[in-house]
Amino acid sequence: MRPQPAVNPARTVKKFEKRVPGWVMPLTKAFVFSTDCLLAAASFLAAFKVRAGSDILASNAWAWSQEFLPYAGVMLFAAAATACLFLYQRLYRFEGAFSYTGEWTRVFKAVSVGSLLTVAWAFLFRGGFEYRDFSYSRSIFILYFLLSLGVLSVFHLGLRGIQVRIRRGGINLLPTLIIGTNPEAEQTVRELRDCRDLGYRVIAAVEGNGGDPPAVFEEKTCIPVVGHIDNLADLIQRLEIQEVIITDNSIPSERLFESMMQIGRGQRLEFRFAPGLFDLLPQKTSIEQIGVLPVVRLFREPLSDLQRFVKRVSDILISAAAIILLWPLWALVSILIRVDSEGPVLFRQERVGMDGRLFLCYKFRTMSVDADETVHREAYQRNIDGDSSANAGNDSEPLFGKVKDDPRVTRIGRSLRRLSVDELPQLFNVLKGDMSVVGPRPPIPYEVEEYKTWHRKRLDMKPGITGLWQVSGRNRLPFEKMVEADLYYIENWSIWLDLKIILLTLPAILRGDGAR
C-alpha cells in the first residue's frame, strides 16, 4: 500500500481568491428578491387593469381607488407569497451548476403554488371579512398567473444568462477539491475546466488510495495534488473549499463523516460522487448533473420536497407562536437566573445537527459559569459503551442526558431543568433552521465521537426540542433504545406523528423526566 503523505506546505496552493467583495452576493440576492416582489405586484396590477378596466389609484388622492381597494391586500399577499416560494425553490441560489429547464420549472412551481395560495387568501380571508359580500373576479387571478409566470420567467432566465457571461470571466465560481487521481478525476477536471459556466473552479486534488502518482496527475491535468485523504478536513479549511467531488471508490464513508465533523460550523460545503461510484451510494442522496457529468449529492434530508416544506412551515409557525406567547415567562426566567447567580442568562453550547454539521444550541443557563464538564463527558462515554452497571445505584451519574443531583447546577437551574424551561431558547434554533420542533435529541460533539456507524444514522434529520426519546422515558431511556426510537421516527415521519409527540410532551415534562 502506498505510504500516506502529510500535507506538504511547499505543494499546498493558496486559498481561492474571490474576484468580488463578500457583500456583493448578499446584496444581489436582496435585489433579486425585492425585484420579484415588485414584478409580482406589477403583474397583479396589470391583471386588474386589463380585466376590470378601472383605475388603480383614486383620482383625488394618493390612495387606492374604491374599485381596487378589495384587491389591495390580496396583491400584497401575492407578492410576498411568490417571493417566499421562490426562496423555498432555491431560486436565489446563484452558486454551482444550473440548467435553464430546471430554472423555469422552479419558477413555474413557485408561481403556480403562489397563485393558488393567493386565490385561497382572497376567497377565504376576504380582507379580514371586511369584503365578505364582495365578489372577486376569478379571471383576474387567472390573468395574474399568466402574467407573473411570463414576467418572472423572463427575469430569472435573463439573470441566468447574465450569470453565464460573468462566470466565463472567472467570477462566481465555487472553489472545488477533487478526491482521487484516477481517470474519473481527470474526466471531472476536464469537464469543469472546459465548461466554466457550470460555476466550478478546481483548486486542487488530494490523493486517495489508488490512481496515478501525484506527479503524473499534475502533469496530465495541471492541477496540484496537495495532500492525502487523511488530511482532508485540514485541506478543506485551509483552501476554503465549498465543493468536494469524490472520484475514488476506496474512500470509506466514515472518513467523509469524520472530516465533516472536524470542519464544524461556518463553512458551506457540499460532497458529491463523480461517475462510476453509484454502487457506493448511501441512503440519503440526490442525483444531479454538472454538464455531462452525472453526480450524486450526499447527505440529503430523508424527506421529500413536500414533506420538508410542510415540516419547515410547521416549525416556523409553532416556534414563532411559542416565542410570542411565552415572552412573559422568558422575562421572568431571565430575572430569576440573574438574581440567583452571576453570569449570562443564556448558555451556548456546540451541538451536532443534521449530517454532522455543528451549530450553537441555546439554553437558559442552569449551571455556574465555571462548571467542569469532565464528569458529564465520562458518563456519556460509559452510556454509549453500554456500561449500565456503572450507574446502578449511583445517583450522581446519569442514565442518559444529565447528572442527577449535580452540584454544578444552580438553585433555579434545578427547577428549570425539571420543567424543561431551560430549553425554551432552542425555539430560536428552530427559527434559524438548525433544529426542528420534533426530531432526534441533539448530541454533543464528544458524544458523537464515540458513536458506532449505525448510531450516526440518527443524524439524518434535524435534531428536535422534543421527540420520541422525550415521550418514551427521556433520561430513563438507555442509549441504544434512544437511537432506535430516533431511527423509527426518521423512517416513519409524518405531520401527524409530530403533532402526537408534541401533545405527549407536556405530560412527560410534568412527570419530571429531566432535561438534556
Side-chain angles (χ1 to χ4, degrees):
M1 182 176 177
R2 186 182 303 162
Q4 300 176 358
V7 176
N8 185 350
R11 295 168 59 198
T12 301
V13 298
K14 295 181 179 179
K15 68 179 183 179
F16 178 69
E17 296 183 2
K18 297 180 179 179
R19 297 280 300 277
V20 295
W23 53 265
V24 171
M25 185 55 69
L27 185 63
T28 300
K29 293 180 179 180
F31 167 76
V32 176
F33 182 89
S34 302
T35 304
D36 284 338
C37 291
L38 293 176
L39 290 177
S43 299
F44 193 94
L45 293 175
F48 174 84
K49 184 67 177 178
V50 171
R51 178 62 183 86
S54 303
D55 292 334
I56 296 173
L57 297 175
S59 57
N60 57 353
W62 183 252
W64 302 119
S65 66
Q66 290 299 316
E67 294 79 8
F68 183 74
L69 196 57
Y71 291 94
V74 178
M75 178 196 67
L76 295 176
F77 176 86
T82 301
C84 289
L85 285 165
F86 274 34
L87 185 64
Y88 170 71
Q89 289 289 339
R90 305 181 74 187
L91 283 161
Y92 303 119
R93 183 180 182 274
F94 297 110
E95 300 85 15
F98 73 91
S99 70
Y100 289 104
T101 301
E103 186 80 0
W104 185 85
T105 300
R106 288 192 291 271
V107 171
F108 177 79
K109 289 179 179 179
V111 172
S112 299
V113 175
S115 298
L116 291 175
L117 292 175
T118 301
V119 172
W121 174 271
F123 288 94
L124 296 179
F125 185 67
R126 291 184 176 272
F129 299 105
E130 184 176 356
Y131 304 103
R132 66 180 66 188
D133 297 326
F134 181 81
S135 178
Y136 286 98
S137 172
R138 291 171 176 80
S139 57
I140 288 179
F141 295 104
I142 295 174
L143 189 56
Y144 162 69
F145 165 72
L146 297 175
L147 287 176
S148 60
L149 178 61
V151 170
L152 291 169
S153 295
V154 170
F155 176 61
H156 276 267
L157 294 179
L159 282 177
R160 292 301 186 178
I162 296 174
Q163 185 181 20
V164 168
R165 292 180 176 273
I166 291 175
R167 285 179 171 178
R168 289 173 180 171
I171 301 175
N172 188 230
L173 303 177
L174 289 176
T176 303
L177 184 71
I178 304 296
I179 297 181
T181 57
N182 49 15
E184 287 83 0
E186 295 177 29
Q187 179 188 5
T188 302
V189 170
R190 193 160 46 246
E191 176 68 12
L192 298 184
R193 176 184 292 154
D194 294 343
C195 302
R196 183 70 63 86
D197 54 300
L198 293 175
Y200 298 89
R201 173 176 289 172
V202 179
I203 302 297
V206 298
E207 190 178 6
N209 297 323
D212 294 331
V216 176
F217 183 82
E218 291 178 353
E219 183 179 356
K220 290 181 178 179
T221 64
C222 299
I223 296 296
V225 180
V226 295
H228 192 268
I229 183 65
D230 289 342
N231 312 113
L232 181 60
D234 179 63
L235 290 168
I236 289 173
Q237 291 175 318
R238 182 180 304 183
L239 301 179
E240 297 185 1
I241 297 297
Q242 295 183 17
E243 294 281 330
V244 176
I245 299 181
I246 306 157
T247 65
D248 190 338
N249 61 6
S250 64
I251 307 299
S253 59
E254 292 82 1
R255 181 74 55 81
L256 299 177
F257 186 89
E258 290 170 0
S259 298
M260 192 169 237
M261 286 288 297
Q262 294 172 21
I263 292 166
R265 295 180 292 108
Q267 184 164 351
R268 177 196 174 278
L269 186 64
E270 295 284 1
F271 284 87
R272 303 179 192 272
F273 274 122
L277 303 178
F278 296 110
D279 55 327
L280 303 176
L281 297 185
Q283 181 180 5
K284 258 196 336 171
T285 58
S286 174
I287 298 178
E288 300 173 351
Q289 189 161 334
I290 299 178
V292 299
L293 297 176
V295 296
V296 178
R297 182 183 172 194
L298 304 182
F299 308 120
R300 292 295 301 270
E301 189 173 352
L303 301 177
S304 67
D305 288 343
L306 179 59
Q307 289 174 325
R308 190 166 63 251
F309 175 74
V310 171
K311 187 169 177 62
R312 182 60 184 148
V313 169
S314 65
D315 283 341
I316 293 174
L317 293 177
I318 293 173
S319 58
I323 290 173
I324 294 172
L325 294 174
L326 297 176
W327 72 265
L329 179 60
W330 288 62
L332 176 61
V333 171
S334 300
I335 294 173
L336 292 175
I337 292 174
R338 294 303 298 268
V339 171
D340 183 56
S341 62
E342 295 183 354
V345 171
L346 292 181
F347 172 69
R348 299 170 178 84
Q349 184 182 46
E350 276 196 341
R351 294 287 181 113
V352 182
M354 189 174 72
D355 298 328
R357 299 179 188 273
L358 300 183
F359 69 96
L360 282 180
C361 181
Y362 306 127
K363 300 179 72 174
F364 282 125
R365 182 176 59 83
T366 58
M367 289 187 178
S368 57
V369 293
D370 56 349
D372 183 7
E373 68 174 17
T374 302
V375 62
H376 195 257
R377 182 167 187 160
E378 292 175 350
Y380 264 92
Q381 173 69 59
R382 285 192 291 273
N383 286 317
I384 293 173
D385 291 341
D387 186 8
S388 58
S389 62
N391 298 335
N394 186 356
D395 286 343
S396 67
E397 298 286 5
L399 181 59
F400 208 84
K402 71 168 187 177
V403 179
K404 189 176 181 180
D405 299 327
D406 192 339
R408 303 171 299 171
V409 180
T410 61
R411 290 173 299 172
I412 187 63
R414 291 188 179 90
S415 298
L416 296 180
R417 285 187 165 204
R418 184 176 64 83
L419 298 174
S420 297
V421 176
D422 61 319
E423 298 171 13
L424 287 180
Q426 292 174 16
L427 292 168
F428 285 109
N429 287 116
V430 176
L431 282 180
K432 289 174 59 180
D434 295 326
M435 294 180 63
S436 180
V437 174
V438 181
R441 184 188 62 82
I444 302 172
Y446 58 69
E447 172 190 343
V448 178
E449 291 174 2
E450 308 299 331
Y451 276 7
K452 300 176 183 177
T453 301
W454 77 275
H455 294 159
R456 293 175 178 175
K457 293 181 180 179
R458 65 186 302 270
L459 303 178
D460 281 354
M461 187 178 283
K462 289 181 182 179
I465 299 177
T466 185
L468 275 180
W469 53 270
Q470 160 84 291
V471 300
S472 301
R474 220 173 179 183
N475 292 323
R476 299 192 303 270
L477 201 64
F479 175 72
E480 299 287 331
K481 295 297 183 183
M482 184 200 69
V483 175
E484 291 175 3
D486 287 338
L487 298 186
Y488 175 87
Y489 171 78
I490 292 173
E491 296 298 330
N492 297 275
W493 178 87
S494 70
I495 190 64
W496 308 115
L497 180 58
D498 274 4
L499 292 176
K500 182 178 180 180
I501 291 173
I502 291 172
L503 293 175
L504 291 174
T505 298
L506 184 57
I509 292 175
L510 296 178
R511 288 196 304 267
D513 282 341
R516 290 193 289 274

